[in-house]
Amino acid sequence: MKIKPLVIGDLMARIPVMQGGMGVGVSLSGLAGAVAAEGGIGIISTAQIGYRDADFDKDPIGCNLRAIKAEIDKARRIANGGIIGVNIMVATKRYEEYVRAAALAGADLIVSGAGLPVDLPKYTEGSGTKLAPIVSSLKSVRVIMKYWMKKYERLPDAVVIEGPLAGGHLGFTKEQAEHPEDLRYDEEVKKILADVEKTGEAHHVHIPVIMAGGIYTREDMEHYLAMGISGVQMATRFVTTYECDAAEAYKQSYINARKEDIVIVQSPVGMPGRAILNPFMQKAKTGKIPHGQCHSCISTCNPSETPYCITDALVNAAVGRIEDALLFCGANAWRAEKLEHVKEIMEEFRP
C-alpha cells in the first residue's frame, strides 16, 4: 500500500502518525519532540502539565499555564522543524485559558476532546494554530461542524475519531468499552468519514480524518488507510519508548501487563476509562482513598465526593509510584514486550 503524508492545512507530516496526548506527564516535550523529529506529529498533554513545579500545590493552574509554553519550546528544540501540538481536554477547569496559552505559545495544532469543543475557534482566533476536535460518533462530529460553521464560519482543520479501544477516559459507556466488538465500530467510522468528506467538499476544503484507539502496528494503520482515513493517532505504543516522559516503572507496568489485567474502570471524574488493574484500583473499589487539597483539574470532579484524587493518582503513575497510581492504558498495552526508541517505531510506519 502506498502511504501518503498526513496534510493538515499547511502542515505536512511525512509519516501519517500522530502521537496521542497522555497526561499527567506521560507525553511532554521529550516524547512529542522525538515523534515530530522523525516525521510524525508530536502531541503534548496539558493535563496538569505543571505538576513538577515547586508551587504546584499552591497554584496548579498558574503552574500549568506557564508549563505549556515551556514544554512547547523544549519540544521545538528537539523536533528539528517537526510538528508540535497539544491535547487539551474540554473538561479542564478554565479550559479557555489553556487553549489561549497554547495558541499564544505557537502550538501548531490543538487536539481537543473529553467534551465537545464548540467554542475552540473563539479562543484561538487570530492565531495560526490548527484545530482538531476528537469525536466518537457521527452525531458529535455533525454538531461540531454545524456549530462552528454557523457561529465562526469555519470547519475543523482535521477530525480525530477515537474508538472504544483507546486508553484513558473514553467517550463510550462502560458496557460499550467492555464489549467493543458489539459496536461494529468500523461502520461508525465509515459514516463519520463520509460525512466529514461531504461537508468538506461542500465548502471546498479537505478535512483529514485521523483514527485513534487500538492502533499498534503498521497493519492496523493500513486497515484504516484502506478505508479512506488520512492518518492514525497512537498513544499506548509510544509509552514503552526510551523517549517517553513517564518514569521507567510506569513503562514497565505495560511490559508486565497481561491481557486480562487491562480493565474498564470508573474514573473519579465521572467517566469510564481503560487502565491496568493494580493494588490501587483494587483498593479504590472498596471505598474512598483519602486525598489532600484540590488541584483544579477537571470540571466534573466534586472534591468532597470523589473516591480518590485523579491528579494524585496520575502524578504517582508519571513519577513511578505504581502501587498508588491510576495506570491508564490502551487495549493493546499488554502487547508491549520491551522498551524501544521512537525512531524504531516510526521506521515501521514510514512510507
Side-chain angles (χ1 to χ4, degrees):
M1 171 183 279
K2 182 174 174 57
I3 308 296
K4 299 177 181 178
L6 172 56
V7 178
I8 304 175
D10 59 359
L11 303 175
M12 186 183 77
R14 299 191 311 276
I15 302 174
V17 170
M18 182 163 74
Q19 160 254 314
M22 296 172 282
V24 172
V26 179
S27 65
L28 297 175
S29 55
L31 178 56
V35 172
E38 294 299 329
I41 299 177
I43 300 291
I44 295 166
S45 169
T46 66
Q48 303 297 51
I49 188 172
Y51 79 95
R52 293 174 295 190
D53 194 297
D55 292 330
F56 183 69
D57 285 340
K58 293 187 293 183
D59 180 23
I61 290 178
C63 291
N64 290 337
L65 295 176
R66 289 192 297 274
I68 289 172
K69 176 171 172 47
E71 289 296 322
I72 289 174
D73 288 348
K74 283 193 283 186
R76 288 251 181 256
R77 292 194 288 272
I78 299 167
N80 194 28
I83 303 168
I84 297 294
V86 297
N87 180 294
I88 309 175
M89 296 186 293
V90 178
T92 302
K93 284 186 178 178
R94 291 163 62 175
Y95 171 71
E96 176 182 348
E97 294 177 55
Y98 284 71
V99 172
R100 291 188 184 279
L104 187 63
D108 294 317
L109 174 71
I110 292 176
V111 181
S112 192
L116 292 179
V118 289
D119 289 319
L120 187 55
K122 176 182 176 181
Y123 307 145
T124 56
E125 192 174 3
S127 76
T129 301
K130 305 294 187 292
L131 307 180
I134 298 174
V135 302
S136 293
S137 68
L138 176 61
K139 180 180 178 181
S140 57
V141 76
R142 282 179 168 172
V143 167
I144 291 168
M145 291 194 299
K146 184 177 180 180
Y147 189 87
W148 282 20
M149 275 304 301
K150 182 178 180 180
K151 192 160 185 181
Y152 302 110
E153 296 185 345
R154 69 159 295 169
L155 290 167
D157 298 293
V159 169
V160 178
I161 304 174
E162 189 169 270
L165 300 179
H169 292 122
L170 301 168
F172 300 88
T173 65
K174 188 172 184 290
E175 292 71 25
Q176 288 172 329
E178 286 176 334
H179 302 285
E181 66 283 353
D182 295 343
L183 290 173
R184 299 183 61 181
Y185 196 67
D186 274 5
E187 296 307 309
E188 188 73 6
V189 171
K190 291 174 185 176
K191 291 176 186 176
I192 295 171
L193 181 60
D195 201 73
V196 172
E197 286 181 345
K198 181 180 177 182
T199 302
E201 287 171 3
H203 295 278
H204 311 291
V205 294
H206 171 62
I207 307 170
V209 177
I210 299 163
M211 186 65 204
I215 293 146
Y216 202 82
T217 64
R218 184 186 179 101
E219 184 181 12
D220 296 332
M221 177 181 75
E222 291 185 348
H223 168 76
Y224 288 108
L225 295 183
M227 289 169 56
I229 293 292
S230 296
V232 295
Q233 175 180 286
M234 298 192 306
T236 292
R237 179 74 187 271
F238 287 112
V239 169
T240 49
T241 60
Y242 293 100
E243 295 85 357
C244 177
D245 296 277
E248 195 78 11
Y250 180 79
K251 301 172 189 183
Q252 196 62 44
S253 70
Y254 277 45
I255 294 170
N256 295 340
R258 301 165 300 172
K259 193 172 185 178
E260 57 268 30
D261 295 329
I262 298 171
V263 297
I264 304 300
V265 301
Q266 191 62 32
S267 162
V269 298
M271 293 177 273
R274 181 172 278 108
I276 296 172
L277 188 62
N278 68 340
F280 178 81
M281 291 313 304
Q282 295 280 20
K283 187 177 177 183
K285 289 180 180 180
T286 63
K288 286 189 176 184
I289 297 173
H291 60 86
Q293 67 196 77
C294 176
H295 289 92
S296 300
C297 60
I298 302 296
S299 57
T300 54
C301 179
N302 183 339
S304 65
E305 297 180 3
T306 185
Y308 60 90
C309 173
I310 193 167
T311 289
D312 289 348
L314 292 176
V315 167
N316 284 341
V319 301
R321 292 191 289 266
I322 299 304
E323 296 300 303
D324 296 308
L326 169 56
L327 303 171
F328 273 152
C329 69
N332 285 316
W334 62 275
R335 296 174 68 174
E337 296 178 345
K338 62 180 181 179
L339 288 176
E340 52 190 336
H341 286 287
V342 164
K343 185 178 181 65
E344 297 173 82
I345 294 174
M346 296 303 281
E347 283 293 334
E348 179 183 331
F349 290 85
R350 193 174 295 280

